[in-house]
Amino acid sequence: MKIVVDWDRCEANGVCVRAAPESFHLDDKDQLHVLTETVPPELRAKVDKAILGCPKQALSLSED
Ligand code: SF4
């Protein structure tokens, strides 16, 4: 599974970073970076929490 960000929706509020810091990072310019595009199984629960918690519905998972 791969993390997909809808960059038009993301407002860089950092909710996903707090939920899954291994997978998301905000740089000093408030630009979001995905650190684990392919989600390792051990991080899946945290990434799911980040996706559900994103207030802008900017995150999803794709199959490939
Ligand atoms: S929680 Fe959503 S809106 Fe906030 S930084 Fe993450 S992807 Fe962007």
Side-chain angles (χ1 to χ4, degrees):
M1 303 294 276
K2 285 192 171 176
I3 296 170
V4 178
V5 181
D6 182 339
W7 297 106
D8 290 334
R9 285 177 173 264
C10 176
E11 62 176 17
N13 53 40
V15 174
C16 58
V17 177
R18 289 192 290 279
E22 298 89 346
S23 296
F24 300 97
H25 173 71
L26 272 184
D27 68 20
D28 53 12
K29 296 190 176 97
D30 275 350
Q31 174 64 48
L32 183 69
H33 298 273
V34 177
L35 306 178
T36 58
E37 193 187 24
T38 300
V39 184
E42 65 271 22
L43 293 181
R44 179 61 191 273
K46 284 186 171 184
V47 169
D48 282 347
K49 197 174 164 193
I51 290 170
L52 287 171
C54 174
K56 303 298 285 183
Q57 284 95 45
L59 296 174
S60 59
L61 288 176
S62 79
E63 291 290 337
D64 47 280

